Amino acid sequence: MWLINSSIGRKVVMSVTGISLILFLTFHMSMNVVALFSGEAYNMVCEFLGANWYAVVATIALAALAVIHIVYAFILTAQNRLARGNERYAVTSRNPKVEWTSQNMLVLGIIVLLGLLLHLFNFWYNMMFAELIGSPAKFSPADGFSYIKDTFANPVYVVLYIIWLFTIWLHLTHGFWSALQTLGLNGKTWFARWKTIGIVYATLLMLGFLVVVLAFAFGFAPSLCGA
């Protein structure tokens, strides 16, 4: 199958899974912003997206997209290194026409992955997973607001999340337009436009996450009623 066996097919898979993950990040950011206005409303969303069958199915599908994206990233990187052979050792200076993010997408991806594992431990493990197996947790599995508040009361986590969000931003600013280019949605005019749109979109997206982190870190977030 060309999607698996050919280089172009693998890039298409990377592009489609990448765009799908960007759409999920958009939803996730929109959900997080709710916590800035009402802890009760945010927990209602968490309860709706708890260990229900549709949430579990969506989580499995999302995990599959992430795994495929990561695996194909490693395959394409290895393929490019093999194709260049010894030539990659002969390069003494970086081509100014090639973006830094383009040359370091794998490194950025690894940092994103490590941050994702930390994020899953802090939230998914203590919420959906705890609810699925009936494991005792620090807060109620549906009390996502308390988990956010508790996590970002720790300055170490605040710094780690800021680094993680900045890395995702770098990854997205290249990945957004690169995915559209692979899918053929480019051209002399739209190539520059997609790059600009990608930078703006990625910036707004990560700022949405960052505002939540900083609001809870500096105590600007609302409180739960009765808390």
Side-chain angles (χ1 to χ4, degrees), residues 157-173:
Y157 281 139
V158 173
V159 172
L160 290 176
Y161 269 82
I162 291 174
I163 294 172
W164 184 43
L165 292 174
F166 178 67
T167 305
I168 296 175
W169 179 82
L170 289 173
H171 195 76
L172 292 183
T173 52

Side-chain angles (χ1 to χ4, degrees), residues 85-163:
N86 293 329
E87 291 182 6
R88 68 179 185 272
Y89 300 110
V91 177
T92 57
S93 61
R94 186 175 67 86
N95 187 341
K97 294 183 180 181
V98 180
E99 295 180 348
W100 182 88
T101 50
S102 178
Q103 293 186 328
N104 294 276
M105 284 296 280
L106 181 62
V107 175
L108 294 174
I110 292 174
I111 297 174
V112 170
L113 176 59
L114 293 175
L116 176 61
L117 294 176
L118 175 65
H119 186 64
L120 289 174
F121 173 75
N122 283 333
F123 295 97
W124 180 83
Y125 175 78
N126 288 310
M127 296 174 69
M128 180 181 285
F129 185 73
E131 187 176 351
L132 283 171
I133 65 173
S135 173
K138 190 172 185 178
F139 305 107
S140 166
D143 191 4
F145 186 86
S146 292
Y147 278 109
I148 295 179
K149 190 174 182 180
D150 184 67
T151 298
F152 298 126
N154 186 333
V156 174
Y157 281 139
V158 173
V159 172
L160 290 176
Y161 269 82
I162 291 174
I163 294 172

Side-chain angles (χ1 to χ4, degrees), residues 45-96:
V45 176
C46 291
E47 186 173 3
F48 177 75
L49 298 174
N52 305 295
W53 69 267
Y54 45 83
V56 173
V57 170
T59 301
I60 293 173
L62 180 63
L65 286 172
V67 169
I68 292 171
H69 190 78
I70 293 167
V71 169
Y72 271 63
F74 278 100
I75 292 175
L76 285 170
T77 300
Q79 177 183 303
N80 291 336
R81 285 180 176 272
L82 287 174
R84 292 203 308 267
N86 293 329
E87 291 182 6
R88 68 179 185 272
Y89 300 110
V91 177
T92 57
S93 61
R94 186 175 67 86
N95 187 341

